Amino acid sequence: MDNQPTKQNLINKLDNVIKGNISREQFNQWAYKWVQNLDSRNRLSSKENQLHEYLIFLLCIDLEIEPNIYFYEDIEIQEWIKKIRQSKLLP
């Protein structure tokens, strides 16, 4: 199992989506795995709780309006990265 992601890992992954290094669907699968992992725990630290909330929101990254037309554009992903860097809530 991978190490639990940090906020920086999350930012790096989102950056890789924008750069086209990983697909939105791959990001969603990765995030979903961590949502399930964090869901299964009895207690979360405040950092883990914040990460959990980010990951739940970010599951929307691969929502399509029609094939290959995504509900959220890259510009919005860039805004999410800024907010995560500042530990602000999404969206």
Side-chain angles (χ1 to χ4, degrees), residues 12-28:
N12 294 346
K13 284 257 189 211
L14 288 169
D15 202 38
N16 277 317
V17 170
I18 292 170
K19 289 176 179 166
N21 296 336
I22 64 170
S23 70
R24 290 165 180 253
E25 291 73 19
Q26 287 170 310
F27 180 94
N28 176 284

PDB file of all heavy atoms in Angstrom, residues 12-28:
ATOM      1  N   ASN A  12       0.596  17.735  -6.137  1.00  0.00           N
ATOM      2  CA  ASN A  12       1.395  17.162  -7.226  1.00  0.00           C
ATOM      3  C   ASN A  12       0.532  16.350  -8.183  1.00  0.00           C
ATOM      4  O   ASN A  12       0.681  16.431  -9.404  1.00  0.00           O
ATOM      5  CB  ASN A  12       2.517  16.280  -6.676  1.00  0.00           C
ATOM      6  CG  ASN A  12       3.560  17.071  -5.900  1.00  0.00           C
ATOM      7  OD1 ASN A  12       3.615  18.298  -5.963  1.00  0.00           O
ATOM      8  ND2 ASN A  12       4.384  16.361  -5.151  1.00  0.00           N
ATOM      9  N   LYS A  13      -0.388  15.546  -7.613  1.00  0.00           N
ATOM     10  CA  LYS A  13      -1.278  14.725  -8.459  1.00  0.00           C
ATOM     11  C   LYS A  13      -2.175  15.616  -9.316  1.00  0.00           C
ATOM     12  O   LYS A  13      -2.376  15.353 -10.501  1.00  0.00           O
ATOM     13  CB  LYS A  13      -2.162  13.817  -7.599  1.00  0.00           C
ATOM     14  CG  LYS A  13      -1.422  12.627  -7.036  1.00  0.00           C
ATOM     15  CD  LYS A  13      -1.763  11.372  -7.798  1.00  0.00           C
ATOM     16  CE  LYS A  13      -1.195  10.177  -7.083  1.00  0.00           C
ATOM     17  NZ  LYS A  13      -0.821   9.105  -7.974  1.00  0.00           N
ATOM     18  N   LEU A  14      -2.742  16.663  -8.697  1.00  0.00           N
ATOM     19  CA  LEU A  14      -3.612  17.576  -9.451  1.00  0.00           C
ATOM     20  C   LEU A  14      -2.812  18.268 -10.560  1.00  0.00           C
ATOM     21  O   LEU A  14      -3.304  18.446 -11.676  1.00  0.00           O
ATOM     22  CB  LEU A  14      -4.244  18.607  -8.514  1.00  0.00           C
ATOM     23  CG  LEU A  14      -5.325  18.059  -7.583  1.00  0.00           C
ATOM     24  CD1 LEU A  14      -5.688  19.102  -6.534  1.00  0.00           C
ATOM     25  CD2 LEU A  14      -6.560  17.625  -8.350  1.00  0.00           C
ATOM     26  N   ASP A  15      -1.582  18.650 -10.238  1.00  0.00           N
ATOM     27  CA  ASP A  15      -0.702  19.271 -11.220  1.00  0.00           C
ATOM     28  C   ASP A  15      -0.442  18.305 -12.387  1.00  0.00           C
ATOM     29  O   ASP A  15      -0.430  18.714 -13.550  1.00  0.00           O
ATOM     30  CB  ASP A  15       0.606  19.671 -10.534  1.00  0.00           C
ATOM     31  CG  ASP A  15       1.340  20.749 -11.289  1.00  0.00           C
ATOM     32  OD1 ASP A  15       0.673  21.655 -11.829  1.00  0.00           O
ATOM     33  OD2 ASP A  15       2.587  20.688 -11.336  1.00  0.00           O
ATOM     34  N   ASN A  16      -0.267  17.031 -12.059  1.00  0.00           N
ATOM     35  CA  ASN A  16      -0.054  16.018 -13.102  1.00  0.00           C
ATOM     36  C   ASN A  16      -1.286  15.828 -13.989  1.00  0.00           C
ATOM     37  O   ASN A  16      -1.152  15.505 -15.166  1.00  0.00           O
ATOM     38  CB  ASN A  16       0.390  14.689 -12.487  1.00  0.00           C
ATOM     39  CG  ASN A  16       1.881  14.679 -12.213  1.00  0.00           C
ATOM     40  OD1 ASN A  16       2.676  15.134 -13.030  1.00  0.00           O
ATOM     41  ND2 ASN A  16       2.269  14.169 -11.065  1.00  0.00           N
ATOM     42  N   VAL A  17      -2.477  16.023 -13.416  1.00  0.00           N
ATOM     43  CA  VAL A  17      -3.707  15.959 -14.224  1.00  0.00           C
ATOM     44  C   VAL A  17      -3.696  17.110 -15.233  1.00  0.00           C
ATOM     45  O   VAL A  17      -3.947  16.908 -16.419  1.00  0.00           O
ATOM     46  CB  VAL A  17      -4.971  16.019 -13.328  1.00  0.00           C
ATOM     47  CG1 VAL A  17      -6.223  16.208 -14.183  1.00  0.00           C
ATOM     48  CG2 VAL A  17      -5.093  14.759 -12.483  1.00  0.00           C
ATOM     49  N   ILE A  18      -3.367  18.315 -14.756  1.00  0.00           N
ATOM     50  CA  ILE A  18      -3.340  19.489 -15.642  1.00  0.00           C
ATOM     51  C   ILE A  18      -2.304  19.291 -16.745  1.00  0.00           C
ATOM     52  O   ILE A  18      -2.553  19.619 -17.904  1.00  0.00           O
ATOM     53  CB  ILE A  18      -3.046  20.776 -14.836  1.00  0.00           C
ATOM     54  CG1 ILE A  18      -4.233  21.099 -13.916  1.00  0.00           C
ATOM     55  CG2 ILE A  18      -2.778  21.953 -15.772  1.00  0.00           C
ATOM     56  CD1 ILE A  18      -3.964  22.206 -12.915  1.00  0.00           C
ATOM     57  N   LYS A  19      -1.148  18.735 -16.390  1.00  0.00           N
ATOM     58  CA  LYS A  19      -0.078  18.515 -17.375  1.00  0.00           C
ATOM     59  C   LYS A  19      -0.379  17.347 -18.309  1.00  0.00           C
ATOM     60  O   LYS A  19       0.326  17.142 -19.290  1.00  0.00           O
ATOM     61  CB  LYS A  19       1.245  18.246 -16.654  1.00  0.00           C
ATOM     62  CG  LYS A  19       1.818  19.460 -15.974  1.00  0.00           C
ATOM     63  CD  LYS A  19       3.078  19.094 -15.197  1.00  0.00           C
ATOM     64  CE  LYS A  19       3.665  20.317 -14.523  1.00  0.00           C
ATOM     65  NZ  LYS A  19       4.664  19.950 -13.514  1.00  0.00           N
ATOM     66  N   GLY A  20      -1.397  16.547 -17.978  1.00  0.00           N
ATOM     67  CA  GLY A  20      -1.746  15.409 -18.817  1.00  0.00           C
ATOM     68  C   GLY A  20      -0.924  14.167 -18.523  1.00  0.00           C
ATOM     69  O   GLY A  20      -0.957  13.208 -19.294  1.00  0.00           O
ATOM     70  N   ASN A  21      -0.199  14.165 -17.416  1.00  0.00           N
ATOM     71  CA  ASN A  21       0.612  12.995 -17.049  1.00  0.00           C
ATOM     72  C   ASN A  21      -0.232  11.850 -16.486  1.00  0.00           C
ATOM     73  O   ASN A  21       0.148  10.694 -16.592  1.00  0.00           O
ATOM     74  CB  ASN A  21       1.688  13.378 -16.031  1.00  0.00           C
ATOM     75  CG  ASN A  21       2.687  14.365 -16.615  1.00  0.00           C
ATOM     76  OD1 ASN A  21       2.873  14.441 -17.815  1.00  0.00           O
ATOM     77  ND2 ASN A  21       3.324  15.137 -15.759  1.00  0.00           N
ATOM     78  N   ILE A  22      -1.337  12.207 -15.844  1.00  0.00           N
ATOM     79  CA  ILE A  22      -2.311  11.188 -15.413  1.00  0.00           C
ATOM     80  C   ILE A  22      -3.704  11.679 -15.809  1.00  0.00           C
ATOM     81  O   ILE A  22      -3.933  12.879 -15.912  1.00  0.00           O
ATOM     82  CB  ILE A  22      -2.263  10.879 -13.884  1.00  0.00           C
ATOM     83  CG1 ILE A  22      -2.645  12.098 -13.047  1.00  0.00           C
ATOM     84  CG2 ILE A  22      -0.932  10.301 -13.470  1.00  0.00           C
ATOM     85  CD1 ILE A  22      -2.844  11.780 -11.564  1.00  0.00           C
ATOM     86  N   SER A  23      -4.590  10.729 -16.054  1.00  0.00           N
ATOM     87  CA  SER A  23      -5.952  11.106 -16.459  1.00  0.00           C
ATOM     88  C   SER A  23      -6.773  11.480 -15.227  1.00  0.00           C
ATOM     89  O   SER A  23      -6.427  11.144 -14.096  1.00  0.00           O
ATOM     90  CB  SER A  23      -6.627   9.945 -17.187  1.00  0.00           C
ATOM     91  OG  SER A  23      -6.913   8.901 -16.268  1.00  0.00           O
ATOM     92  N   ARG A  24      -7.856  12.164 -15.481  1.00  0.00           N
ATOM     93  CA  ARG A  24      -8.781  12.506 -14.392  1.00  0.00           C
ATOM     94  C   ARG A  24      -9.343  11.229 -13.769  1.00  0.00           C
ATOM     95  O   ARG A  24      -9.559  11.167 -12.564  1.00  0.00           O
ATOM     96  CB  ARG A  24      -9.917  13.374 -14.930  1.00  0.00           C
ATOM     97  CG  ARG A  24      -9.449  14.776 -15.304  1.00  0.00           C
ATOM     98  CD  ARG A  24     -10.491  15.474 -16.165  1.00  0.00           C
ATOM     99  NE  ARG A  24     -10.052  16.806 -16.533  1.00  0.00           N
ATOM    100  CZ  ARG A  24     -10.560  17.922 -16.014  1.00  0.00           C
ATOM    101  NH1 ARG A  24     -11.512  17.869 -15.114  1.00  0.00           N
ATOM    102  NH2 ARG A  24     -10.114  19.097 -16.407  1.00  0.00           N
ATOM    103  N   GLU A  25      -9.553  10.222 -14.625  1.00  0.00           N
ATOM    104  CA  GLU A  25     -10.089   8.955 -14.114  1.00  0.00           C
ATOM    105  C   GLU A  25      -9.079   8.259 -13.201  1.00  0.00           C
ATOM    106  O   GLU A  25      -9.459   7.693 -12.172  1.00  0.00           O
ATOM    107  CB  GLU A  25     -10.479   8.046 -15.283  1.00  0.00           C
ATOM    108  CG  GLU A  25     -11.689   8.538 -16.086  1.00  0.00           C
ATOM    109  CD  GLU A  25     -11.421   9.756 -16.987  1.00  0.00           C
ATOM    110  OE1 GLU A  25     -10.248  10.039 -17.303  1.00  0.00           O
ATOM    111  OE2 GLU A  25     -12.394  10.437 -17.348  1.00  0.00           O
ATOM    112  N   GLN A  26      -7.795   8.331 -13.562  1.00  0.00           N
ATOM    113  CA  GLN A  26      -6.757   7.749 -12.704  1.00  0.00           C
ATOM    114  C   GLN A  26      -6.689   8.488 -11.370  1.00  0.00           C
ATOM    115  O   GLN A  26      -6.543   7.866 -10.317  1.00  0.00           O
ATOM    116  CB  GLN A  26      -5.381   7.809 -13.393  1.00  0.00           C
ATOM    117  CG  GLN A  26      -5.232   6.814 -14.519  1.00  0.00           C
ATOM    118  CD  GLN A  26      -3.964   7.078 -15.312  1.00  0.00           C
ATOM    119  OE1 GLN A  26      -3.684   8.197 -15.735  1.00  0.00           O
ATOM    120  NE2 GLN A  26      -3.182   6.028 -15.515  1.00  0.00           N
ATOM    121  N   PHE A  27      -6.809   9.811 -11.428  1.00  0.00           N
ATOM    122  CA  PHE A  27      -6.810  10.589 -10.189  1.00  0.00           C
ATOM    123  C   PHE A  27      -7.992  10.164  -9.323  1.00  0.00           C
ATOM    124  O   PHE A  27      -7.851   9.958  -8.121  1.00  0.00           O
ATOM    125  CB  PHE A  27      -6.888  12.099 -10.477  1.00  0.00           C
ATOM    126  CG  PHE A  27      -6.896  12.914  -9.207  1.00  0.00           C
ATOM    127  CD1 PHE A  27      -5.713  13.422  -8.694  1.00  0.00           C
ATOM    128  CD2 PHE A  27      -8.078  13.148  -8.502  1.00  0.00           C
ATOM    129  CE1 PHE A  27      -5.711  14.149  -7.504  1.00  0.00           C
ATOM    130  CE2 PHE A  27      -8.092  13.865  -7.322  1.00  0.00           C
ATOM    131  CZ  PHE A  27      -6.904  14.368  -6.818  1.00  0.00           C
ATOM    132  N   ASN A  28      -9.164  10.045  -9.950  1.00  0.00           N
ATOM    133  CA  ASN A  28     -10.371   9.659  -9.218  1.00  0.00           C
ATOM    134  C   ASN A  28     -10.180   8.298  -8.539  1.00  0.00           C
ATOM    135  O   ASN A  28     -10.544   8.139  -7.367  1.00  0.00           O
ATOM    136  CB  ASN A  28     -11.580   9.620 -10.153  1.00  0.00           C
ATOM    137  CG  ASN A  28     -12.826   9.135  -9.465  1.00  0.00           C
ATOM    138  OD1 ASN A  28     -12.986   7.936  -9.217  1.00  0.00           O
ATOM    139  ND2 ASN A  28     -13.717  10.042  -9.138  1.00  0.00           N
TER     140      ASN A  28
END
